[in-house]
Amino acid sequence: MEERLTEHAPAAASARVEDRPAEAPASTEPAIWSRNFRYYFTARSAGLLSWAMLPVAVSAGLLSGGYGLNAAGYSMAFLVGPFAGLVLFGGVLADRFTARRMMIAADLTNLVAHVLLAFLFIHGIDHLWQLYTLLVVAGTANAMFQPGASSTVPLVSRDVQGANGVLRTSEALTGLGGPALAGAMVGLGATGWVMVISALAYGTSAVCLLTLRLGVVPAPPAGESLWHNLAVGWREFRSRSWLWGVIVIWMVFAVLSWGPQLSVAAGVIVPEHGATAFGLINCALGAGTVAGGLLAIRYKPERPLAAGAVAMLAYPLYPLGIVLDWSVWLLAAAQFAVGVGIGVWGVMWATSVQTQVPGEVLNRVHAYEVAGSVGMYPIGSALAGPAVGAFGTDRVLQVGVVVALCTAAALLLTRPIRSLRRVPAQA
C-alpha cells in the first residue's frame, strides 16, 4: 500500500503507523542509542517511574490510613481492570491514529488523573468511589498507551533485544527507586505528593514522545470497521500457538499467584514491619530486575522463551518467604532473585513478540497479548481479600507458590513455546 506523505492527514483517509526511524540511514545509526531511542527511553523511564510508585502508594496509603485489605485489593482491580478490558481497542486505535498520538494523549490523561489523586490524598478520601474512579481513568489511559509502547521499540532501535534489555533495566531502576520513594513518603504521610511526582513524570513523557521523528507505513485500510480490525488482530494472534500458549498459561498464573500477591504481601508486611519496609522489599525486586535486564542485553539464547521460563523458576521464593516468616532482609533477597527472573523473562518475551509478529499488525496482536496476560490480574487482586478471609493468608500464598512453579514447568513442557527460535538482530 502506498505510503502517505502528509503527517496530519485525517485518520479516516490515512492508514498508517510509525514504522522506521526517519533521521538517518540504518547503517549510520547506533544499534541501540539512536536519537529516537534516547527520547523514547526518557519517555518510558518517566512513565515507568509513575507506574512503579502508584500500586505501592495506593495500597500502603490505604492501609496506613485505616482502610482494610479489601479496599487495597479493590483499588488494584479498578486500576488494572479497565486496562485489561480496553487494551484491545487501544491496539486498533494505535493503528488508526498512530501509536505516538495515542501515547501522548494517554500521558496527558494520566497527568490530569494524578493531579486529582494528589488532591484526594492530600485533603482526605471522603468516599472510596472517588479513588476508584480516578484509578479507572488511569487504567484506561494506560490501555491506550501500552500497545504503542511495545510496537515503537523496533522503530527506534535496530537491536530490538538490546533495546528491550535497556528498557527492562530502566523499568527495574524505576521499580527500585519508585516503590522505596513511595513507601517512604507514605510512611511520612505524604501519599499525595507521590501523585504530584507522577503527574510531572507523565508530562515529561508526553514532551519526549512529541519529539520523536518516525517514518510511516500502511496500517488498516480506510473504511474498515473497528470490529474488522479486531478480528484481523485475533486471527494473527491465534495463528501463533507459542503466543496464545503463553497467554493461556499466564492467565492461570495471574489469578492464583501474581494477582493476589501485592495486596496479600502488603497485608502481612505493612502491619508487622511498616510501609517503608514494604517499599524497600519491593525496591529489591527492582534491583533484581536491573540485574536481569542487564544480563538480557548480552545473553541472547537461541530459544529465548525456554531461557525465560527457566528464569521464572525464581518467582515462588518471595511468597514462600512470607509463609516461612523470613526477616525483611531475607524477603528482600528473595525479591531480588525474583526480579532477576522477571527481568530475563520480560526481555525474552517482549523481543519474541516484537520480532516474530509483522509490524502492520503488531499493535493489535500486542493488545491481545496484554489483554490476555493482564486480564486475569484484577480478578486475582479483587479475590485476595475474600480468599484470605476464607482460607487464611498462608494458604493463599502457598497456592501462589505451587502455581508459580507449575507456570514455569508448563512453559518448558509446551513444545511451541520451548522450541521458538530467536530472530537475529538487524544488520
Side-chain angles (χ1 to χ4, degrees), residues 39-418:
Y39 280 109
Y40 183 69
F41 172 80
T42 302
R44 287 301 291 134
S45 297
L48 289 168
L49 176 65
S50 297
W51 187 251
M53 290 192 297
L54 185 60
V56 173
V58 171
S59 297
L62 287 172
L63 291 168
S64 298
Y67 295 92
L69 178 61
N70 284 349
Y74 291 143
S75 68
M76 293 301 98
F78 278 110
L79 176 64
V80 181
F83 174 85
L86 297 174
V87 71
L88 293 178
F89 297 97
V92 173
L93 294 174
D95 278 343
R96 289 191 169 200
F97 300 108
T98 80
R100 178 170 57 174
R101 289 178 182 174
M102 292 303 300
M103 290 190 288
I104 292 172
D107 278 337
L108 295 176
T109 301
N110 256 322
L111 187 155
V112 174
H114 281 74
V115 168
L116 294 175
L117 282 169
F119 181 85
L120 197 62
F121 275 105
I122 290 172
H123 291 276
I125 302 173
D126 295 326
H127 305 285
L128 281 173
W129 69 262
Q130 298 170 332
L131 172 67
Y132 295 155
T133 299
L134 291 174
L135 292 176
V136 167
V137 172
T140 301
N142 282 304
M144 299 300 104
F145 186 101
Q146 184 58 42
S150 178
S151 66
T152 302
V153 176
L155 315 182
V156 296
S157 181
R158 290 185 292 113
D159 183 354
V160 178
Q161 181 170 324
N164 278 313
V166 171
L167 292 170
R168 179 63 64 171
T169 302
S170 173
E171 181 179 357
L173 287 171
T174 55
L176 177 66
L181 177 61
M185 294 182 73
V186 170
L188 295 173
T191 307
W193 289 101
V194 176
M195 304 305 167
V196 172
I197 294 172
S198 291
L200 292 173
Y202 281 118
T204 300
S205 176
V207 170
C208 289
L209 291 172
L210 190 62
T211 66
L212 294 180
R213 300 172 185 169
L214 299 173
V216 294
V217 292
E224 286 190 351
S225 70
L226 175 71
W227 301 111
H228 178 78
N229 294 156
L230 285 172
V232 171
W234 172 250
R235 286 199 298 270
E236 294 287 340
F237 174 79
R238 73 178 184 180
S239 68
R240 295 166 172 83
S241 56
W242 62 270
L243 181 58
W244 62 258
V246 170
I247 300 309
V248 169
I249 295 168
W250 215 259
M251 290 169 71
V252 178
F253 172 66
V255 172
L256 300 177
S257 185
W258 177 36
Q261 184 168 287
L262 178 65
S263 53
V264 173
V268 174
I269 295 169
V270 172
E272 291 187 6
H273 303 288
T276 300
F278 182 59
L280 290 173
I281 288 171
N282 282 280
C283 176
L285 176 68
T289 313
V290 168
L294 291 173
L295 174 63
I297 293 173
R298 294 290 184 183
Y299 175 51
K300 297 182 178 179
E302 186 63 26
R303 297 181 179 181
L305 295 185
V310 171
M312 281 297 294
L313 288 169
Y315 191 90
L317 287 175
Y318 179 53
L320 179 63
I322 298 174
V323 171
L324 298 178
D325 197 24
W326 287 356
S327 68
V328 169
W329 296 111
L330 281 176
L331 289 175
Q335 278 286 63
F336 180 87
V338 171
V340 174
I342 290 174
V344 172
W345 166 260
V347 173
M348 300 303 167
W349 172 246
T351 303
S352 296
V353 175
Q354 292 161 9
T355 57
Q356 300 278 348
V357 178
E360 60 269 22
V361 293
L362 181 54
N363 283 318
R364 282 168 285 171
V365 170
H366 177 65
Y368 276 105
E369 172 238 319
V370 172
S373 61
V374 180
M376 297 293 104
Y377 178 91
I379 296 176
S381 181
L383 292 177
V388 167
F391 306 108
T393 300
D394 283 356
R395 183 58 57 84
V396 172
L397 290 169
Q398 287 165 2
V399 169
V401 169
V402 173
V403 170
L405 287 172
C406 290
T407 296
L411 292 171
L412 289 168
L413 291 172
T414 305
R415 185 173 180 179
I417 299 171
R418 181 182 70 247

